[in-house]
Amino acid sequence: MWVFTVMIVIVIVLYLLEALAVRSYTASPKPDSGRLARTFPAISILKPLKGLEDCLFDNLESFCNLDYPVYEVIFTLQDQNDPAYKVARKIKDKYHSKDISIVIEHCDAGLNPKVNNLIPAYKIAKYGLILISDSNVRVEKDYLSDISHHMDDPSVGLVSNIIRGVSSRSFGAAMENLHLNSFVAGSVCVLDKYLDMPCVVGKSMLMPKDTLEAIGGFTSVKDFLAEDYIIGQRIHALGKKVILSNHLINNVNEYWSLRRFINRHTRWGKLRWQIGGAKYLSELFTNAVFMAFILMLIMPVSTASVLFAAAVSSLKIAHDMYIGTRLRAGMSPLLYLLSPVKDLIIGFIWFVPIFSNTVNWRGNRYIIGKGSALSPMPETGLWLLIYKLLKN
Amino acid sequence: MLLCDFHIHTTYSDGSVELRKAIDIFGQAGFDVIAITDHVVSGDNSFGKLAHRFKYSVTANNFNQYISDIKEEAKRAYDKYGMLVIAGIEITKNRLSVNDSAHILIVDVQEFIPACIGYEEIFLTAKLQKALIIACHPHYMSGTGDRDTLFLWNNRDKYARYIDAWEIANRDDVFNVISLKKYPYIANSDFHKPGHLYSWKTLLNCDKNIDSIKQCIRHNKGVAITLFRN
């Protein structure tokens, strides 16, 4: 009992640190993007598309209305029959005066399908700064102005952003957005602020071409699942600064199923287990809600243990509500009541990476190894048998 | 080819998504033409009375508001997505026996058509309005059991001449009897909730205006179906 209590006190301190870290990023004044002295370097935005994300039209359209002098948008797909192609085509037709290109090229340079999608777009990118932006991201008009000012400092090698989940209309989407707006945003801010560990999330990555080339370009990360994290680490290792911008970007998750939420976080868990190793173990102990419920299961149920679980859950709800409010995620206050449910699900998901190292991503099956290195799933043999058994 | 869906329900009847959001779901996914077709339920039996009581039906009283809302949203959808939105209804005659039940889409409806009148009167009224008449899910569907609607198929010799097209596919079901009979066909989602976006659809090779679309379906040339998947 005492062990659990001490653990949970530590977790409460961590929650406080998360809240303080998020507060520090969201409290700092926005940079004055209208400063006369600053420059506005031209930017190539690479948008890898695969399938229909929620609100894809609005997401893509938000990149056509940016207040920024010179930029191009490159939509890149592997296949003309991808349903996202029709949406990209409509956006290009609607904004025919904007510098928008659509690249359709099947590329199988590596095992990471997103990197395969980016390589053809990178070849035609005109400008010295490239911005990788996922298709489920929607941005405000001042996005480029806000993030590009960091590039005035030549020692900066990469700018990424804090993401917030918005627009949930289903239970799965609510789970996803709660997790993005608590664990993910909190961890990214804590790692960056207190531990000087850049944790780049690939939804928005701005970097100079020559910096990317210096770490070997996209081809150097083509066989990694966490290409965003690896790029961040390698740029950091070059001695360049990796900046976490305080400009919040929206990750639109509207109609997710619970299954999709579980699949994504199982995949992300496997990725963190393969990258972090023993550090991954700490994640379980920082899930206070899950630990409190485990305590209820292993100890005889008593009023004290139930009250303890209720108190921890209440604290987590308050913590998530605080971070969500700081992120201006626009979630209904009632949705935060689901936070303990989400933490319980995440607690169970945590165990999966310990026992399984296979991932199914964008229709491809891989074995994920150390550092998130991918290798192809064998089509025959024991692995396939195990995969089929697990799938069924 | 125009990506189309002519069978969509909203909260005007038993859909789970309000009109504006339903239109946005299709617009965001790149569709070119859709028809909003909420149920007009025949109130001459207890099923229908329940549907009316729980407001799962467009009625003569709210029909004008329904059409006006669709037209307003249609203008917004065209400006924003370049997507054509057509007003329609689904005449819904549910009976105890599946052999007596029928659902009929009236696409590009102009005036209210009550569902309790006879079939021929419904067809002739729709023809006068120059609307498209489409037989919905006309054969056995998977997993629905007692909700099949077989009346039009069972009485095809009598009514086929009034019907502009038959649903050869509805959501996940395919009705091969339509192709065996060589009837004009289209495919629709019978959209009631966001997950139904991914289902059978129609592709039309014609101009994006209502007259061309109706002509293309009636002549049934340049029509293809596709299983829309993400």
Side-chain angles (χ1 to χ4, degrees):
Chain A
M1 175 75 180
W2 283 108
V3 175
F4 275 88
T5 310
V6 169
M7 253 186 223
I8 284 163
V9 168
I10 292 169
V11 168
I12 289 167
V13 173
L14 285 175
Y15 283 172
L16 200 62
L17 279 178
E18 272 187 5
L20 287 171
V22 170
R23 184 172 182 271
S24 75
Y25 281 100
T26 52
S28 38
K30 290 179 82 174
D32 181 4
S33 52
R35 285 177 303 184
L36 289 174
R38 62 160 298 197
T39 57
F40 294 92
I43 297 175
S44 296
I45 302 174
L46 315 186
K47 297 284 293 182
L49 306 180
K50 169 99 177 158
L52 292 174
E53 296 288 350
D54 290 334
C55 299
L56 182 62
F57 189 97
D58 281 349
N59 298 346
L60 301 188
E61 188 173 38
S62 71
F63 286 82
C64 303
N65 291 313
L66 298 173
D67 285 336
Y68 199 74
V70 182
Y71 70 97
E72 64 169 340
V73 184
I74 305 172
F75 298 129
T76 174
L77 304 101
Q78 296 277 292
D79 180 359
Q80 188 163 350
N81 292 318
D82 191 305
Y85 171 71
K86 205 165 170 59
V87 181
R89 189 72 241 171
K90 282 196 166 192
I91 293 286
K92 184 171 163 58
D93 292 345
K94 185 172 178 180
Y95 294 92
H96 50 85
S97 61
K98 301 275 183 179
D99 190 355
I100 299 172
S101 317
I102 301 177
V103 181
I104 302 163
E105 185 181 323
H106 180 74
C107 169
D108 52 7
L111 294 172
N112 182 319
K114 181 177 165 185
V115 174
N116 284 344
N117 216 351
L118 285 166
I119 288 171
Y122 183 73
K123 278 192 248 170
I124 65 155
K126 289 188 284 200
Y127 302 123
L129 279 179
I130 58 158
L131 172 68
I132 301 167
S133 169
D134 282 359
S135 58
N136 56 10
V137 157
R138 192 184 305 162
V139 294
E140 309 293 334
K141 282 177 183 286
D142 56 357
Y143 168 57
L144 284 188
S145 303
D146 267 5
I147 62 169
S148 67
H149 84 94
H150 293 288
M151 288 298 170
D152 290 348
D153 176 357
S155 66
V156 171
L158 190 150
V159 181
S160 68
N161 292 71
I162 303 169
I163 54 169
R164 63 180 164 206
V166 297
S167 303
S168 52
R169 280 174 169 256
S170 66
F171 181 71
M175 294 285 105
E176 177 64 15
N177 289 345
L178 276 171
H179 200 56
L180 289 177
N181 298 338
S182 55
F183 174 78
V184 175
S187 307
V188 168
C189 291
V190 165
L191 289 173
D192 192 74
K193 183 162 180 67
Y194 299 118
L195 302 174
D196 191 30
M197 286 171 62
C199 184
V200 174
V201 180
K203 305 223 168 282
S204 168
M205 298 165 72
L206 176 70
M207 61 194 133
K209 264 184 176 173
D210 52 11
T211 305
L212 181 62
E213 299 289 348
I215 61 161
F218 283 125
T219 48
S220 71
V221 292
K222 64 185 172 53
D223 293 324
F224 288 93
L225 181 61
E227 83 292 337
D228 45 2
Y229 177 82
I230 307 268
I231 288 173
Q233 290 297 310
R234 288 181 180 173
I235 290 177
H236 189 60
L238 272 184
K240 294 270 192 180
K241 288 183 195 162
V242 176
I243 302 283
L244 180 63
S245 165
N246 63 359
H247 185 102
L248 298 165
I249 58 169
N250 300 315
N251 181 184
V252 181
N253 302 304
E254 201 169 41
Y255 286 112
W256 276 45
S257 62
L258 183 61
R259 185 192 177 111
R260 188 175 175 190
F261 165 74
I262 291 170
N263 283 345
R264 177 190 250 190
H265 292 288
T266 306
R267 193 176 72 240
W268 283 15
K270 287 174 181 175
L271 189 149
R272 292 197 302 275
W273 167 237
Q274 294 295 341
I275 289 174
K279 284 180 220 155
Y280 179 72
L281 301 176
S282 66
E283 282 186 19
L284 182 67
F285 303 110
T286 56
N287 187 339
V289 173
F290 187 73
M291 294 306 287
F293 277 86
I294 291 291
L295 179 66
M296 276 175 61
L297 287 179
I298 60 173
M299 304 278 286
V301 177
S302 64
T303 311
S305 64
V306 171
L307 283 176
F308 187 65
V312 168
S313 299
S314 304
L315 186 72
K316 186 62 172 30
I317 290 168
H319 165 269
D320 288 3
M321 195 180 280
Y322 177 77
I323 292 188
T325 307
R326 296 297 315 182
L327 295 175
R328 301 185 298 282
M331 290 180 74
S332 156
L334 286 176
L335 279 181
Y336 289 101
L337 296 176
L338 293 172
S339 221
V341 179
K342 184 269 293 178
D343 281 0
L344 280 178
I345 296 170
I346 290 291
F348 287 108
I349 289 174
W350 181 90
F351 292 95
V352 179
I354 314 290
F355 302 105
S356 163
N357 63 349
T358 58
V359 289
N360 194 335
W361 185 33
R362 297 186 176 194
N364 303 296
R365 290 177 292 148
Y366 307 106
I367 295 170
I368 174 171
K370 197 159 178 57
S372 87
L374 295 168
S375 42
M377 186 83 186
E379 291 303 317
T380 55
L382 187 62
W383 273 114
L384 185 68
L385 182 68
I386 292 169
Y387 178 82
K388 281 184 174 170
L389 285 173
L390 287 174
K391 200 179 174 195
N392 296 327
Chain B
M1 297 284 269
L2 301 176
L3 180 59
C4 314
D5 193 329
F6 298 99
H7 193 165
I8 296 167
H9 297 278
T10 73
T11 48
Y12 259 104
S13 60
D14 60 350
S16 67
V17 182
E18 60 273 27
L19 175 65
R20 173 178 275 239
K21 187 64 200 168
I23 288 172
D24 279 335
I25 286 172
F26 283 86
Q28 297 283 345
F31 276 70
D32 298 300
V33 184
I34 62 167
I36 303 296
T37 53
D38 275 301
H39 293 283
V40 171
V41 182
S42 172
D44 59 1
N45 58 48
S46 44
F47 294 131
K49 286 189 174 78
L50 275 174
H52 281 268
R53 175 154 181 76
F54 290 103
K55 299 190 172 158
Y56 284 152
S57 174
V58 174
T59 62
N61 291 335
N62 69 355
F63 179 78
N64 288 342
Q65 185 64 49
Y66 171 69
I67 296 294
S68 154
D69 285 353
I70 293 174
K71 284 186 174 164
E72 191 182 322
E73 285 300 321
K75 185 178 179 324
R76 184 183 67 86
Y78 200 82
D79 292 344
K80 181 169 182 180
Y81 306 113
M83 180 175 76
L84 195 64
V85 178
I86 307 170
I89 51 174
E90 182 176 4
I91 296 287
T92 304
K93 284 175 172 286
N94 290 332
R95 299 285 185 269
L96 212 51
S97 163
V98 295
N99 291 312
D100 297 331
S101 298
H103 288 195
I104 307 153
L105 293 179
I106 311 290
V107 175
D108 196 25
V109 67
Q110 308 296 324
E111 304 285 339
F112 183 70
I113 302 175
C116 54
I117 59 177
Y119 284 96
E120 280 185 332
E121 199 177 349
I122 288 170
F123 294 139
L124 291 173
T125 311
K127 291 275 178 210
L128 279 175
Q129 295 183 21
K130 297 190 168 69
L132 271 179
I133 299 168
I134 296 158
C136 307
H137 33 78
H139 214 252
Y140 293 104
M141 291 185 281
S142 55
T144 59
D146 57 350
R147 289 191 290 113
D148 290 329
T149 50
L150 305 178
F151 179 82
L152 290 175
W153 182 253
N154 291 342
N155 295 276
R156 58 192 177 277
D157 292 341
K158 185 174 177 188
Y159 293 122
R161 62 198 165 108
Y162 296 111
I163 294 169
D164 293 311
W166 299 68
E167 278 187 345
I168 197 166
N170 176 291
R171 201 173 299 159
D172 297 316
D173 287 302
V174 180
F175 310 110
N176 67 330
V177 290
I178 303 301
S179 58
L180 289 170
K181 271 283 174 189
K182 298 188 169 44
Y183 282 155
Y185 62 89
I186 59 169
N188 292 319
S189 69
D190 201 352
F191 178 94
H192 283 78
K193 60 183 185 183
H196 293 163
L197 180 68
Y198 302 107
S199 55
W200 284 98
K201 304 284 180 245
T202 305
L203 293 167
L204 297 181
N205 190 12
C206 67
D207 292 338
K208 193 162 49 180
N209 63 67
I210 292 183
D211 289 337
S212 299
I213 288 159
K214 288 195 288 192
Q215 190 180 28
C216 186
I217 291 173
R218 284 190 180 118
H219 292 186
N220 229 234
K221 286 189 177 147
V223 179
I225 64 170
T226 181
L227 185 54
F228 189 70
R229 290 275 185 254
N230 196 11

